[in-house]
Amino acid sequence: MNISTRQVDAFLALAAQRSFTRAAAQCHLSQPAFSALIRALEDNLGLRLFDRSTRHVSLTAEGENFHASALRIRAEVDAALATLRDAALLRRGRVSVALLPSLAAGWLPGVLAGFRAQHPGVELDIADVLSEPCIERVATGKADFALAAIRADTPELQAEPFCEDGFHLVCRADHPLARQPLPAGRRSAAAQWRALAEWPFIHLARHSSVRQYLEAAFHPHAMRTLMEVEQLATVMGMVRAGLGISVVPTLTLFHFQQEGLATRPLALPGLTRQIYLVRRRDRGLSVAAQALYARVMQQRPMHAEMPSKQ
């Protein structure tokens, strides 16, 4: 059975007008073309929907039963088309993004404020999680795309460079490291490590990308770890209390822009955090997700560096 929306529209018009002439005019069809639609509908259903006479058209019992269903079909089609039109015009939609907490708290709010001002009807789902959960959300379809410190190039996922993130020493403003210059240059890694290793160190947890980058950069040396914490806000509180120093990415410095704290850039070989935008290879982005993706790419963090071309 193959019933078209044109046939449903013709049926509803004839049921309302009770006249082939008026119903054909309502549908902007000639009367023979309109009659052919009704006849084809009845043939498909194997039922007579209208009783016809030279002066009168009325619904049969079967036509009365079909009338409610036809109204529902037409309403559902109209609703579906309206939803698609709204999506195409970005009046409606939903976007799900997973990204590192440092990006979610510092850089993303400004991006989303502009997006929401332009597209207030688009629903946003933001997951501020570490790199591995970011990748998992894209892989399982829970996120349209992610910003993570893992280059997840797989048969299912593709990763494109987003930005590079430097690292800064953070300490109290009255700390000796805030006043003395740190060794500079590519050959200064050991000297920088010695300068930092004198002091108790507040570390982020081992599963964080920040910790992994630091350990790789200082290898085979180790910092004088005082404690490990999960949150950058906790790092800030411990450093401000004078319990120790830390090293954090440039994109997290908004946590440390407080009275009594000092930040100093570090330049160590390999101590640059790569951030990638990860999405699925086999699935295109929705109109809403594509619009946010374009805005995200246009408004990459200004205080982080773009990756150099290889």
Side-chain angles (χ1 to χ4, degrees):
M1 185 180 298
N2 185 15
I3 299 175
S4 69
T5 55
R6 293 183 72 228
Q7 291 172 337
V8 172
D9 288 341
F11 169 82
L12 291 173
L14 187 54
Q17 297 295 336
R18 304 299 173 106
S19 163
F20 275 84
T21 302
R22 292 193 299 270
Q26 179 180 318
C27 294
H28 306 288
L29 294 170
S30 67
Q31 188 166 328
F34 182 84
S35 298
L37 281 177
I38 297 297
R39 187 165 53 253
L41 175 61
E42 291 179 323
D43 289 345
N44 278 331
L45 294 174
L47 295 168
R48 188 164 48 85
L49 301 175
F50 294 95
D51 285 323
R52 304 155 173 89
S53 69
T54 55
R55 296 184 179 182
H56 184 70
V57 176
S58 62
L59 287 166
T60 64
E62 291 76 17
E64 292 282 3
N65 291 334
F66 181 64
H67 187 251
S69 297
L71 288 171
R72 185 175 64 253
I73 291 168
R74 182 69 260 179
E76 290 176 353
V77 170
D78 287 343
L81 292 176
T83 298
L84 290 175
R85 283 193 295 269
D86 285 345
L89 297 172
L90 286 173
R91 290 196 293 253
R92 296 177 62 182
R94 185 175 184 275
V95 187
S96 180
V97 180
L99 73 170
L100 297 170
S102 55
L103 285 164
W107 162 80
L108 184 65
V111 176
L112 292 186
F115 184 82
R116 284 283 294 171
Q118 191 171 0
H119 310 298
V122 175
E123 179 184 350
L124 298 171
D125 177 16
I126 305 301
D128 51 342
V129 292
L130 298 180
S131 289
E132 289 187 4
C134 279
I135 302 305
E136 181 183 358
R137 282 178 172 267
V138 177
T140 58
K142 293 181 180 178
D144 296 298
F145 58 88
L147 295 173
I150 296 176
R151 184 164 195 158
D153 270 321
T154 70
E156 295 79 24
L157 303 176
Q158 65 181 36
E160 56 185 307
F162 183 68
C163 68
E164 292 180 350
D165 195 9
F167 282 78
H168 281 63
L169 162 72
V170 293
C171 60
R172 280 175 58 104
D174 58 0
H175 194 282
L177 288 178
R179 298 189 296 270
Q180 70 185 50
L182 290 171
R186 293 186 59 83
R187 297 182 180 180
S188 65
Q192 287 197 36
W193 171 79
R194 286 193 297 271
L196 300 178
E198 295 183 38
W199 308 99
F201 201 89
I202 313 298
H203 256 310
L204 282 169
R206 293 181 181 275
H207 57 261
S208 71
S209 63
V210 174
R211 177 69 173 273
Q212 293 162 11
Y213 272 98
L214 284 178
E215 290 188 341
F218 285 117
H219 183 77
H221 309 293
M223 304 306 295
R224 184 179 153 194
T225 302
L226 175 68
M227 66 180 73
E228 297 181 0
V229 299
E230 292 281 347
Q231 305 297 329
L232 281 161
T234 308
V235 174
M236 182 277 297
M238 299 298 176
V239 173
R240 188 170 60 182
L243 290 170
I245 65 171
S246 193
V247 173
V248 299
T250 303
L251 287 170
T252 71
L253 287 181
F254 64 92
H255 282 292
F256 302 89
Q257 294 170 348
Q258 302 196 30
E259 185 177 356
L261 292 180
T263 63
R264 304 279 298 281
L266 291 178
L268 290 173
L271 192 55
T272 302
R273 188 171 64 154
Q274 304 281 342
I275 307 295
Y276 299 94
L277 190 146
V278 181
R279 54 189 289 190
R280 290 185 65 92
R281 294 183 184 275
D282 60 351
R283 185 181 305 166
L285 296 176
S286 68
V287 175
Q290 182 64 43
L292 182 57
Y293 164 84
R295 183 176 289 265
V296 160
M297 296 300 287
Q298 290 168 0
Q299 296 181 224
R300 305 182 214 214
M302 295 298 294
H303 53 282
E305 297 179 356
M306 291 298 303
S308 57
K309 295 182 179 179
Q310 299 299 321

